[in-house]
Amino acid sequence: MAMQIPQARGPLTEALFGALRSGSDDFYPVLAVGPVEGEDAALALWVLYELHYRGFDDVSDEMEWDPQLLRLRVALERDLEQRLRERFTSPQGLSVVEDFFDWVAEHDGASVADHVQRAADRDQVLELLRVRSIYHLKESDPVAWVVPRLGVRAKAALTELQYDEYGNGDPNRLHHHLYARGLEACGLEAAYGAHLDEVPLEVLEQNNAMSLFGLHRRLRGAALGHLAAFEATSSMPSRRMVQGLERLGLPAEIVEYYAEHVEADAVHEQLAVRAICGALLDEEPELADDVWFGAFTCLDLEDRFARTMLDHWGADRLGAGEDRREEVA
Amino acid sequence: MSAAFEHPDVVLCPGGPMLLRGDHVVEDADGVRHRTTRAVTAVCRCDKSASFPWCDGTHKVLPDRLRPA
Ligand code: FES
Ligand SMILES: [Fe+2]
Ligand SMILES: [Fe+2]
């Protein structure tokens, strides 16, 4: 079962969702809604992208390729891509394969995992699990669009990583399924998209950026750079999540999801940087700047997400990296 | 031209783990055996992983002199 169309968050989503549910394919009134921004624009784009994933029970499957909806999608995408690019400065003289991990260490931002490890209460952690579910219940799906757009080596390398994300052939090990089981064990709704109405703008933008990079062949470099940055910032934060979840006595199933990511992403970060991005850039060296753009966007959006959540909880922000080096030194 | 590619079973990552492709049993210094569970596994080379013998990313926060070559 797919999800239902979510609640509107402004004039564009009001018009769009009404039209989608009506079953008519006349979207001119929606296209006539003036330019919008913020949550209204982000949610509209999220829903248009969702037509390409699992769709909605209350929208016809035909709408996936409706030309008017694609036109609206392109307008929203242009705006998103432009805003993401404005935040990015290309690192000069760095090699993706050799310098990536150091660059990530320098650019990594605020962290919700630090807060979960040390101080978060149970309600905060459950809220975090709900808002994260929007991505984790489709974990790895956005980058799957990239596979047919790659050369031989990068394609083999990406599917080697994705095979692990999708459980090595065992549905019980599939990562988004592990997350769903974790949610259920916590007593939370685990249906795909169930918590969409409560997610902040930053979650919608994180999701939209991944779909944007995944669905446009010209942005394949950004998709793989994003993947590499995502994997390279996961193992140690996942360990902190495990410690925080155990501190609060949350169920073994959700601990297991994060414990799996401590080890899996210690593999994936090496594969993503060295095997996947390395092969991509051997085959298509002109994509290096897009790889950095995708990587930067991943870290930047996660930093914005973490700040929003930490402010919302009235929690302190630890500076990126500083006290982490001492943990093991 | 369709080339044959290098695809090693063991890859030493500079400053980080050893990647191991395939199904293996790794014996640690105490003689305890650990079976790999995924297609590619990262074996810790810095000795500091809390998931030893598997890498958990800890090598990234070690000072250079403690990181594997
Ligand atoms: S090599 Fe990664 S933790 Fe030891
Ligand atoms: Fe995963
Ligand atoms: Fe991963």
Side-chain angles (χ1 to χ4, degrees):
Chain A
M1 202 185 90
M3 60 185 296
Q4 304 280 319
I5 282 282
Q7 282 165 21
R9 299 198 192 187
L12 178 60
T13 45
E14 204 78 61
L16 174 63
F17 296 174
L20 283 172
R21 273 190 294 242
S22 75
S24 127
D25 61 357
D26 174 14
F27 295 103
Y28 279 109
V30 181
L31 293 169
V33 175
V36 297
E37 48 186 36
E39 294 187 16
D40 196 24
L43 182 62
L45 183 55
W46 193 94
V47 163
L48 293 172
Y49 278 144
E50 192 51 41
L51 296 171
H52 300 283
Y53 290 92
R54 309 283 290 275
F56 301 90
D57 277 342
D58 43 354
V59 177
S60 158
D61 289 342
E62 296 293 319
M63 293 303 107
E64 180 181 357
W65 296 106
D66 181 273
Q68 292 175 359
L69 291 179
L70 292 176
R71 224 175 102 194
L72 174 61
R73 200 188 90 185
V74 168
L76 294 165
E77 285 178 312
R78 283 206 183 116
D79 183 54
L80 171 63
E81 185 178 347
Q82 191 188 334
R83 279 185 294 109
L84 297 176
R85 286 197 184 273
E86 274 166 10
R87 300 176 66 88
F88 166 65
T89 323
S90 176
Q92 297 300 314
L94 293 189
S95 140
V96 169
V97 169
E98 276 154 42
D99 303 316
F100 196 82
F101 291 109
D102 288 340
W103 178 86
V104 166
E106 279 161 32
H107 289 79
D108 204 3
S111 165
V112 287
D114 283 344
H115 177 64
V116 169
Q117 179 192 30
R118 295 158 202 250
D121 65 27
R122 195 186 162 89
D123 285 347
Q124 292 171 349
V125 171
L126 294 180
E127 183 180 12
L128 179 64
L129 295 175
R130 292 193 306 271
V131 300
R132 287 282 204 214
S133 71
I134 304 305
Y135 176 63
H136 288 324
L137 292 176
K138 65 164 89 153
E139 187 161 316
S140 210
D141 292 348
V143 79
W145 305 117
V146 182
V147 173
R149 288 138 184 200
L150 299 175
V152 174
R153 286 173 56 216
K155 179 182 282 180
L158 177 56
T159 51
E160 187 177 51
L161 183 153
Q162 289 222 294
Y163 188 57
D164 205 28
E165 296 285 350
Y166 290 142
N168 295 277
D170 178 357
N172 296 302
R173 301 298 307 160
L174 195 142
H175 284 184
H176 67 64
H177 182 62
L178 289 180
Y179 196 78
R181 294 188 50 182
L183 289 177
E184 268 164 19
C186 294
L188 299 172
E189 179 59 65
Y192 186 87
H195 304 288
L196 191 66
D197 286 338
E198 74 169 296
V199 304
L201 169 65
E202 290 76 10
V203 167
L204 297 171
E205 297 239 310
Q206 284 180 310
N207 259 244
N208 287 345
M210 280 187 263
S211 298
L212 170 72
F213 296 161
L215 283 167
H216 290 263
R217 183 167 49 83
R218 72 182 168 83
L219 293 172
R220 62 198 177 282
L224 298 186
H226 185 288
L227 170 70
F230 198 98
E231 300 289 358
T233 49
S234 173
S235 277
M236 286 189 289
S238 293
R239 168 84 67 204
R240 295 189 191 98
M241 289 296 297
V242 165
Q243 290 166 343
L245 296 169
E246 285 177 340
R247 174 176 64 76
L248 292 162
L250 284 155
E253 288 87 343
I254 192 68
V255 174
E256 167 56 21
Y257 170 85
Y258 286 100
E260 160 67 7
H261 281 81
V262 173
E263 279 169 29
D265 289 343
V267 181
H268 298 173
E269 65 182 1
Q270 300 296 340
L271 292 178
V273 175
R274 304 166 53 78
I276 299 172
C277 290
L280 175 81
L281 295 176
D282 281 350
E283 286 161 349
E284 305 184 90
E286 68 283 4
L287 296 181
D289 210 50
D290 278 350
V291 170
W292 289 115
F293 168 53
F296 173 82
T297 298
C298 176
L299 301 187
D300 184 44
L301 286 171
E302 179 59 20
D303 178 60
R304 287 154 65 191
F305 167 75
R307 285 167 192 271
T308 297
M309 296 308 289
L310 295 170
D311 286 348
H312 163 63
W313 294 325
D316 292 340
R317 264 182 235 147
L318 290 168
E322 293 149 26
D323 69 336
R324 291 183 203 166
R325 274 172 201 273
E326 286 148 40
E327 273 172 33
V328 279
Chain B
M1 246 321 264
S2 295
F5 299 105
E6 297 291 340
H7 190 59
D9 297 325
V10 177
V11 178
L12 301 181
C13 304
M18 171 174 81
L19 298 183
L20 209 49
R21 292 195 164 94
D23 189 17
H24 301 276
V25 176
V26 175
E27 186 175 290
D28 67 23
D30 300 322
V32 181
R33 295 187 187 110
H34 306 264
R35 182 173 281 281
T36 59
T37 59
R38 53 187 90 248
V40 190
T41 306
V43 180
C44 175
R45 293 200 299 146
C46 74
D47 261 11
K48 298 285 190 286
S49 171
S51 304
F52 202 82
W54 315 134
C55 169
D56 69 351
T58 298
H59 62 268
K60 292 191 283 183
V61 291
L62 297 176
D64 281 348
R65 67 192 157 79
L66 293 180
R67 295 184 59 166

